[in-house]
Amino acid sequence: MNYKAFMIKYAEIGTKGKNRYVFEDMLCNRIKERLLEHGDFVIRREYGRIFVEACSDFDYEDVINELKKVFGIVGICPIVIEECVEFDAIKNKVIQYMRERYGNKHITFKVYARRADKSFPMQSMEINSEIGHYLLEEFSEYSVDVHDPDVLLTIELREMVYIYSEVIRGAGGLPVGTNGKAMLLLSGGIDSPVAGYMISKRGVELEAVYFNAPPYTSERAKQKVIDLARIVSGYSGRIKLHIVNFTDIQLAIYEKCPHDELTIIMRRYMMRIAETLAKKNGCQALVTGESIGQVASQTMQSLYCTNEVCGIPVFRPCIGMDKQDIIDISERIETYDTSILPYEDCCTIFVAKHPVTKPNLDIIKRSEKKLCDVIENLVSSALDTVETIII
Ligand code: ATP
Ligand code: MG
């Protein structure tokens, strides 16, 4: 079957009242961008629906795969379009559609006509029964099942007639760009790419920051983060990735602070720097891949200490998830295989054998005072030397 058009179904956008058009426009834009490299497409809106029509050849599988990654879409229906003039033309088109799509297979079907154009002279029930009748006459292998049909043949009569029987599940969520922008702390691990995906699914545009510690971490570890950002950007759209050289800050913490507090203090500096970059780049929040209790730095007390330095909201979409649930998502969004590549992270190099699991904020603050001679300069030079890559 050679489809030239798709009908896009979206759900949550429909509840946005007066802002609805903003969401619909954004979704159209996101679809347009995504299909740019796959052919010429016209994207058109009709109340409650978006239509994608091809004006050039395209690869069906590629286009479906792209559309499946666009947040805001709940269903993708490959459709056949016919002018809404007379019933005979519609009937012939439906028969042609069924022949091409299902041939002479033994199937059960139900016809489901919807008449948005009430000026059409026949009522939906009448269309259902007439078309059903013709199909049974034309295809002896077909039978009707109104309760649980193999094929739900939908015929929507609008400005044009749209015929479809397949709804491919979309990614859901809201179109990226409808809910502000956030700065994702992206490490090379499993959790943070999943966190980025989840926040982006709610319509949030992403930037990302990676704390790099050369020469203690390799070029390959950095490349792995770039690769992860690229996979996430397949869903979220363009990501501006900021790479911060964190080595001197880590060395200073290592030299001056108690070793069992290294991770917490280091994470507090990551959050401070991430927040500065967020504000500079118009982001309203930070996003991390933290999950309660996963490691020493993610106990409730540790999260309390880490969070204390932040003046903007920090979103942690994985916070209540088990590791396996996070892994399941990472496999589905295809970040998992990259995440498990064994390249060292800056955190793992400077970790203590026995990190505190219940840090006390006053004690941590006291330890941080030991950095007061050097830290301001180190932070500003880390900020001055940020490398930014557009992905
Ligand atoms: P992940 O799988 O996302 O790396 P993790 O289980 O390894 O998480 P931690 O290393 O404690 O947990 O990191 C917690 C969170 O802190 C990460 O999810 C990420 O958001 C952020 N983070 C950790 N290391 C870095 C880094 N080098 N650069 C940027 N963000 C980081
Ligand atoms: Mg990590």
Side-chain angles (χ1 to χ4, degrees), residues 247-378:
T247 312
D248 290 342
I249 297 174
Q250 281 196 302
L251 286 173
I253 300 171
Y254 192 76
E255 192 184 312
K256 294 176 190 288
C257 301
H259 282 189
D260 60 345
E261 293 167 13
L262 288 182
T263 310
I264 296 294
I265 296 174
M266 192 184 75
R267 297 200 45 72
R268 281 164 61 89
Y269 279 100
M270 280 189 184
M271 298 306 257
R272 288 176 172 118
I273 292 171
E275 179 166 330
T276 306
L277 287 172
K279 286 179 175 162
K280 242 191 218 171
N281 289 280
C283 301
Q284 294 89 27
L286 301 180
V287 179
T288 79
E290 289 158 315
S291 158
I292 291 178
Q294 204 186 79
V295 285
S297 60
Q298 296 175 28
T299 62
M300 193 60 91
Q301 293 84 350
S302 300
L303 289 165
Y304 175 78
C305 291
T306 309
N307 201 72
E308 196 262 343
V309 298
C310 301
I312 58 175
V314 182
F315 296 123
R316 302 173 170 93
C318 302
I319 198 73
M321 294 170 75
D322 290 351
K323 191 73 187 187
Q324 188 57 48
D325 299 336
I326 303 171
I327 289 174
D328 289 348
I329 298 180
S330 79
E331 284 177 333
R332 185 159 53 76
I333 66 173
E334 296 181 334
T335 50
Y336 184 74
D337 291 344
T338 306
S339 288
I340 59 170
L341 295 173
Y343 308 134
E344 65 296 324
D345 182 50
C346 67
C347 310
T348 45
I349 287 163
F350 293 93
V351 290
K353 278 209 180 71
H354 302 288
V356 277
T357 53
K358 292 182 180 155
N360 175 299
L361 184 57
D362 293 332
I363 297 175
I364 296 288
K365 282 184 174 171
R366 212 177 305 147
S367 303
E368 276 182 0
K369 288 221 171 79
K370 297 182 178 140
L371 296 164
C372 66
D373 295 344
V374 292
I375 198 69
E376 214 171 297
N377 280 340
L378 292 178

Side-chain angles (χ1 to χ4, degrees), residues 23-40:
F23 285 78
E24 288 175 338
D25 279 352
M26 203 61 90
L27 184 54
C28 288
N29 289 342
R30 296 288 93 94
I31 293 171
K32 209 175 285 174
E33 286 165 11
R34 205 58 68 86
L35 296 183
L36 222 49
E37 286 172 13
H38 295 272
D40 283 336

Side-chain angles (χ1 to χ4, degrees), residues 71 176 182-187 189-208 228-229 231-233 235-237 239 286-290 315-318 326 329 333 335:
F71 293 133
V176 172
M183 182 66 72
L184 168 68
L185 283 87
L186 182 63
S187 68
I190 294 170
D191 309 325
S192 45
V194 169
Y197 167 86
M198 288 170 74
I199 288 293
S200 167
K201 184 171 175 179
R202 298 308 301 163
V204 179
E205 194 184 329
L206 292 182
E207 294 205 7
L228 284 170
I231 301 172
V232 174
S233 76
Y235 303 89
S236 67
I239 292 180
L286 301 180
V287 179
T288 79
E290 289 158 315
F315 296 123
R316 302 173 170 93
C318 302
I326 303 171
I329 298 180
I333 66 173
T335 50

Side-chain angles (χ1 to χ4, degrees), residues 66-307:
E66 287 298 334
L67 291 173
K68 275 161 100 173
K69 288 181 167 182
V70 178
F71 293 133
I73 296 180
V74 292
I76 305 148
C77 311
I79 49 169
V80 165
I81 304 178
E82 173 69 17
E83 272 184 64
C84 190
V85 272
E86 38 174 70
F87 183 69
D88 266 358
I90 298 170
K91 181 193 84 183
N92 289 333
K93 198 76 185 179
V94 169
I95 286 174
Q96 185 195 341
Y97 168 82
M98 291 299 279
R99 178 166 292 122
E100 283 182 30
R101 183 68 185 76
Y102 300 102
N104 292 67
K105 287 195 195 126
H106 286 269
I107 54 161
T108 60
F109 73 93
K110 173 184 175 176
V111 184
Y112 176 51
R114 297 177 67 185
R115 208 170 47 121
D117 177 7
K118 301 289 179 206
S119 68
F120 194 80
M122 290 165 78
Q123 296 208 350
S124 304
M125 291 298 278
E126 207 180 337
I127 301 171
N128 289 344
S129 80
E130 290 275 320
I131 297 272
H133 177 76
Y134 282 115
L135 285 174
L136 289 173
E137 241 175 32
E138 190 73 23
F139 302 96
S140 56
E141 301 82 1
Y142 293 7
S143 56
V144 173
D145 181 346
V146 290
H147 300 295
D148 186 24
D150 301 329
V151 174
L152 179 66
L153 171 64
T154 308
I155 304 168
E156 292 194 12
L157 293 98
R158 295 164 173 268
E159 277 169 31
M160 305 286 278
V161 179
Y162 303 104
I163 303 162
Y164 63 93
S165 60
E166 191 185 356
V167 185
I168 299 160
R169 195 165 162 191
L174 296 166
V176 172
T178 55
N179 263 319
K181 188 159 77 166
M183 182 66 72
L184 168 68
L185 283 87
L186 182 63
S187 68
I190 294 170
D191 309 325
S192 45
V194 169
Y197 167 86
M198 288 170 74
I199 288 293
S200 167
K201 184 171 175 179
R202 298 308 301 163
V204 179
E205 194 184 329
L206 292 182
E207 294 205 7
V209 52
Y210 168 59
F211 295 90
N212 194 15
Y216 301 97
T217 58
S218 64
E219 198 55 32
R220 288 191 305 180
K222 172 175 155 187
Q223 187 57 45
K224 174 179 164 181
V225 172
I226 295 171
D227 293 343
L228 284 170
R230 185 161 294 122
I231 301 172
V232 174
S233 76
Y235 303 89
S236 67
R238 197 188 80 148
I239 292 180
K240 214 163 139 190
L241 172 65
H242 308 271
I243 298 171
V244 176
N245 187 326
F246 204 49
T247 312
D248 290 342
I249 297 174
Q250 281 196 302
L251 286 173
I253 300 171
Y254 192 76
E255 192 184 312
K256 294 176 190 288
C257 301
H259 282 189
D260 60 345
E261 293 167 13
L262 288 182
T263 310
I264 296 294
I265 296 174
M266 192 184 75
R267 297 200 45 72
R268 281 164 61 89
Y269 279 100
M270 280 189 184
M271 298 306 257
R272 288 176 172 118
I273 292 171
E275 179 166 330
T276 306
L277 287 172
K279 286 179 175 162
K280 242 191 218 171
N281 289 280
C283 301
Q284 294 89 27
L286 301 180
V287 179
T288 79
E290 289 158 315
S291 158
I292 291 178
Q294 204 186 79
V295 285
S297 60
Q298 296 175 28
T299 62
M300 193 60 91
Q301 293 84 350
S302 300
L303 289 165
Y304 175 78
C305 291
T306 309
N307 201 72

